[in-house]
Amino acid sequence: MDELSTIKKVAILGSSGGNLFYLGGKEPEKLLEELLLQIEAAGMVCGTLQFIAAKASMDAVKENTPAELYTWDESTRKPTVIAKGTIADVNTTASQLDSEIAAKIAKGEMDAVIFMSADPNGANKSAVEAAAAMNLPATGTGGTSMAAIASKGVNVISTSGTTGTTNRTRAVTFLTSLSKHFGVPYRPIIGKALNNNQLDKTSVLPFQRINLRGMMLSSLPGFIAMALVLALSKIPGLTMLGEVFDLMINALPVILAVVAAKQVADFDDVSIVAGIVAGVLSVKGGLIGGIIGGILAGLLVQYIFRKCVEWKFPATTVNIAAGGIAGLISGLAVFFLIAPVALWLGEGIRSLLDLLVSTNGALAGLIAGLLIWPAIIGGVYHAAILPIVLLEMEKTGNSFLGAVDMAGLVMVSAGITLANIVSPRDKGEAAVAAPGFAINMGFGTFVEAAYPFMFSNKYIFAGAILSSGLGGLLVGLFDVRGTAYVPSFMAPLLSNHMTGFIIAMAGSLICSFLITLSINKISVKKTRNTVKENEIAG
């Protein structure tokens, strides 16, 4: 048998709906994109499409409400708009398309139907009758419309209302039901489509989506917000913000749990809710507890969601069970079992670092400064150093390694780029260096701006490490706690030692600037001498 003939063709029929309008229907492209993504993941294809997208909820629609009609373009294999105008005009065209789709169904060209807030007595009347006559398996959402569709004899294998659903959870529910009916394998795709509608197969397995570095980076804004609150609380008249700071410390595990759950499950609001529930119950475990709770919640969301769909629970119930129960189970596991161990581990890491710094702060800072450039270039920084920075910030709002980051990476990069603005080896380098310097100084990030200059000259590379070591030494000497990822002029305000941090930042910046400037001038001089020698020889 021809392989193409075994591929199931699905008809998508419906509208932006009443309640559905507020749950994804008002953005039809995203709604259809998610549905098509899951259809392809199940090894099926879209055979035909009729989707009426109104600019208002169908519960309050009027004859002059603007609307668009989407259909399936076989040449591009994408949804396309074939009619625009008032809802009355669009419904007229939709009725004609309905007849064409009914004919396709009657000829046996469709294998299944997905309904979303369809109108079995109006725009979808002929297609519904044809689906009933051909006994096509159907699934969909929209309580009232699905009840009417079932009453017309359509073989509805699963149905649900739209309350509490999202584009992704609806699509996964539809395809889980259809794949089970046809006996074909299906694993939901969690991720975006790539070019030419190719799926991101690497994001299929939940365990493969666990990325600690990504969780830390995504959660960083919460830590910076906490550091800002700490700095403001030191201003006379704003001491009441100290209570806000304490509250935000307790919120950090929740932030990490939400980010982790969203990353692992990526079921939109469902995974976010599960992460919040798990995070609230994981607060006693600190950052590590929050991460563990979020990861567990994300994994459980996927498992519970699929099981509930297989048991033919309504989509609304599926979402409630997946979000609520997954968050509760994972949160309770952390609360009663994991939190003490996670808290002990976090405290142990902080205590070890504090011991090293208190024993010989200058030496500890020097070593950290010398190693931080090789660490970020080798990919170790975000995997090892950043988590420690966040663990430090969880307790005090700033960090020893965070201060080394600002002085040893950001300021050194700024110094190198500044030197290439003032005295570049050629004019083109100044244009490359200027944006990097501005970003480092203005935002406390983009240390990679120095890479072109460091990698093109081993002496500048060595100068960067030397300057970073000096910055780290000064950080340790003054026992500074601070943070990067903020404007350079603001960083000292967020530290525990403003003067010391200014000295450390200025020291590393000036050192890297002078070294790079000297190397550039020597390089330019050598180039000129070489040119003169060639001219004389010529």
Side-chain angles (χ1 to χ4, degrees):
M1 183 180 293
D2 185 1
E3 184 179 350
L4 291 177
S5 65
T6 64
I7 297 177
K8 303 301 179 182
K9 293 184 178 181
V10 181
I12 303 172
L13 307 176
S15 72
S16 52
N19 191 28
L20 177 62
F21 180 81
Y22 302 105
L23 299 170
K26 62 182 176 181
E27 296 181 290
E29 291 85 0
K30 291 183 179 180
L31 182 151
L32 294 173
E33 178 187 10
E34 185 63 49
L35 184 53
L36 293 169
L37 190 69
Q38 301 305 330
I39 287 174
E40 187 173 347
M44 305 179 193
V45 295
C46 176
T48 189
L49 166 67
Q50 184 216 59
F51 190 85
I52 301 171
K55 300 301 181 182
S57 169
M58 292 294 184
D59 293 336
V61 75
K62 299 178 181 179
E63 287 194 359
N64 61 351
T65 299
E68 296 176 337
L69 176 62
Y70 286 80
T71 190
W72 186 246
D73 188 330
E74 281 292 344
S75 61
T76 62
R77 304 296 299 170
K78 292 181 179 180
T80 184
V81 176
I82 61 167
K84 291 183 179 181
T86 66
I87 188 68
D89 296 334
V90 168
N91 278 337
T92 301
T93 308
S95 295
Q96 298 171 359
L97 182 59
D98 179 43
S99 299
E100 296 173 9
I101 292 174
K104 289 183 179 181
I105 294 175
K107 291 177 183 178
E109 296 179 10
M110 297 296 124
D111 298 293
V113 186
I114 292 175
F115 293 105
M116 291 179 291
S117 298
D119 184 2
N121 298 311
N124 306 112
K125 184 176 184 296
S126 298
V128 168
E129 292 174 352
M134 296 296 291
N135 195 37
L136 294 186
T139 181
T141 56
T144 303
S145 66
M146 289 305 296
I149 289 169
S151 69
K152 291 182 179 293
V154 176
N155 178 22
V156 177
I157 59 174
S158 69
T159 182
S160 156
T162 56
T163 302
T165 64
T166 67
N167 289 341
R168 176 154 297 166
T169 58
R170 282 191 302 275
V172 172
T173 300
F174 297 154
L175 272 301
T176 299
S177 298
L178 291 179
S179 62
K180 186 176 181 181
H181 176 82
F182 289 121
V184 297
Y186 165 59
R187 185 182 294 278
I189 290 293
I190 309 301
K192 295 294 184 182
L194 301 178
N195 294 332
N196 301 320
N197 291 331
Q198 295 300 307
L199 300 179
D200 181 4
K201 300 296 185 181
T202 61
S203 64
V204 171
L205 296 175
F207 281 104
Q208 293 177 338
R209 292 192 294 274
I210 298 175
N211 185 329
L212 293 178
R213 182 174 69 174
M215 294 174 192
M216 294 292 182
L217 286 172
S218 297
S219 303
L220 190 57
F223 288 82
I224 299 302
M226 179 186 65
L228 290 172
V229 170
L230 176 63
L232 291 172
S233 68
K234 296 177 181 179
I235 299 175
L238 295 178
T239 54
M240 76 290 292
L241 290 176
E243 296 181 9
V244 177
F245 174 75
D246 295 336
L247 182 62
M248 292 192 70
I249 285 180
N250 291 328
L252 293 178
V254 181
I255 294 173
L256 277 161
V258 172
V259 171
K262 181 72 166 58
Q263 182 188 97
V264 174
D266 201 11
F267 270 133
D268 301 321
D269 296 346
V270 177
S271 51
I272 292 173
V273 171
I276 292 172
V277 174
V280 170
L281 292 172
S282 303
V283 167
K284 290 185 177 181
L287 298 190
I288 297 175
I291 292 173
I292 294 173
I295 291 174
L296 291 176
L299 295 172
L300 283 173
V301 163
Q302 287 250 323
Y303 179 78
I304 294 174
F305 188 94
R306 296 203 68 181
K307 282 299 179 183
C308 289
V309 172
E310 290 174 4
W311 295 334
K312 297 186 177 181
F313 285 13
T316 300
T317 305
V318 171
N319 284 10
I320 293 172
I325 296 177
L328 188 61
I329 292 175
S330 55
L332 289 174
V334 174
F335 187 88
F336 288 110
L337 301 174
I338 302 172
V341 178
L343 188 62
W344 172 82
L345 182 59
E347 291 288 354
I349 294 172
R350 282 191 293 265
S351 298
L352 178 60
L353 183 60
D354 289 341
L355 177 63
L356 294 174
V357 174
S358 61
T359 301
N360 192 325
L363 179 61
L366 174 63
I367 293 172
L370 292 173
L371 295 179
I372 199 164
W373 273 107
I376 195 168
I377 292 171
V380 178
Y381 174 85
H382 293 101
I385 297 177
L386 182 60
I388 297 174
V389 170
L390 299 187
L391 280 170
E392 286 188 271
M393 292 184 71
E394 177 192 21
K395 205 71 176 177
T396 61
N398 43 41
S399 159
F400 176 78
L401 289 179
V404 174
D405 182 335
M406 174 57 86
L409 291 178
V410 178
M411 289 296 101
V412 168
S413 179
I416 292 172
T417 50
L418 179 60
N420 282 282
I421 295 172
V422 174
S423 179
R425 286 173 293 183
D426 61 65
K427 293 181 179 179
E429 289 187 340
V432 173
F437 174 76
I439 294 173
N440 274 304
M441 297 300 292
F443 299 94
T445 185
F446 195 37
V447 301
E448 295 85 356
Y451 283 180
F453 313 106
M454 293 170 61
F455 294 154
S456 64
N457 190 301
K458 61 183 179 181
Y459 297 109
I460 294 178
F461 192 106
I465 295 177
L466 177 64
S467 302
S468 179
L470 173 63
L473 185 148
L474 293 171
V475 166
L477 186 64
F478 291 103
D479 195 23
V480 176
R481 301 291 190 278
T483 182
Y485 302 100
V486 295
S488 59
F489 65 86
M490 186 183 293
L493 301 175
L494 306 183
S495 70
N496 66 326
H497 195 312
M498 186 184 302
T499 303
F501 203 12
I502 292 173
I503 293 172
M505 291 170 62
S508 54
L509 187 150
I510 293 171
C511 183
S512 61
F513 171 79
L514 293 176
I515 291 174
T516 306
L517 187 70
S518 301
I519 293 170
N520 282 358
K521 286 185 177 297
I522 292 171
S523 178
V524 170
K525 187 176 181 180
K526 284 184 177 180
T527 301
R528 288 175 180 172
N529 290 337
T530 302
V531 171
K532 287 181 179 180
E533 290 174 0
N534 291 336
E535 289 176 351
I536 293 172

